[in-house]
Amino acid sequence: MTIRSYRYVGPADLAAHADAATMGHAIHTAPDFAAWAAHRTTAELAEPFTFVVDLTGLLRLAPRRTEHVTCAGGARVLAAGEIAFAHAAASPSGWRVTEATNHSTGYCPEPTCWPAVSRSLHRAALPHPASFTHALTFRRCEHCHQPNIVREDDWYCAFCDTELPRRWNVDPSA
C-alpha cells in the first residue's frame, strides 16, 4: 500500500515563517494528550483544533486558528484537518475524538488520508470515529488554477465554472 504525503500548496507568505519552532504540540501517548488538554482553556476545548499527522505518524495539535503549515513546521504531512474532543471517562486519556475532518486548504489532503489519522489517534489511546465525520474533496481547476472544494457532487470550478478533474491534482508537482 502506497502512503501519500502532502506538500503545502497554500499561499507562500503563510509558509514563510513555519519551521520546527512553530510545530504543533506532539501527542505520543494518552498522558501526553491529557497533560496538553489540561492546559487548554474551556473556550479552546469548546471548538476544534488544527491538526496534522507528520511523516513519522505523530499527531500534532495547535489552536484552531493556526495555519496547518505552521502546525507542521512547514514540512510535508500524511494528513491535516480539524479535530474536536470531549471528555470520556472510559478512555485512558480521559478524552475521545468527537469530530475529525480533512479540512485543510493549505495541504488539501484526500479523504484517503484517514488511516494515518486513525493510527495516530490509536497510538495516543484516543477513541475516535471509524472515519472522518466530514470528509472534503479538493481539486485544482485546470483552467484558472484555483483550488476548489467539491460540494454536493458539483464537479465545477466555483471561480470559472470549468469542470474539475476526478483525480486529485491540487499539488501541481505531484
Side-chain angles (χ1 to χ4, degrees), residues 86-101:
H87 287 283
S91 167
S93 65
W95 294 86
R96 66 182 171 86
V97 174
T98 57
E99 295 177 43
T101 76

Side-chain angles (χ1 to χ4, degrees), residues 114 118 128-132:
W114 172 255
S118 181
H128 55 278
S131 62
F132 285 121

Side-chain angles (χ1 to χ4, degrees), residues 44-59:
E44 282 181 298
L45 291 168
E47 62 182 17
F49 291 91
T50 294
F51 83 85
V52 298
V53 177
D54 70 20
L55 294 181
T56 69
L58 191 61
L59 179 69

Side-chain angles (χ1 to χ4, degrees), residues 110 137 139 153-156 163-169:
E110 284 282 86
T137 299
R139 295 294 185 268
D153 210 28
D154 181 5
W155 291 85
Y156 288 86
E163 187 170 0
L164 297 169
R166 298 299 171 127
R167 74 188 186 301
W168 188 82
N169 70 336

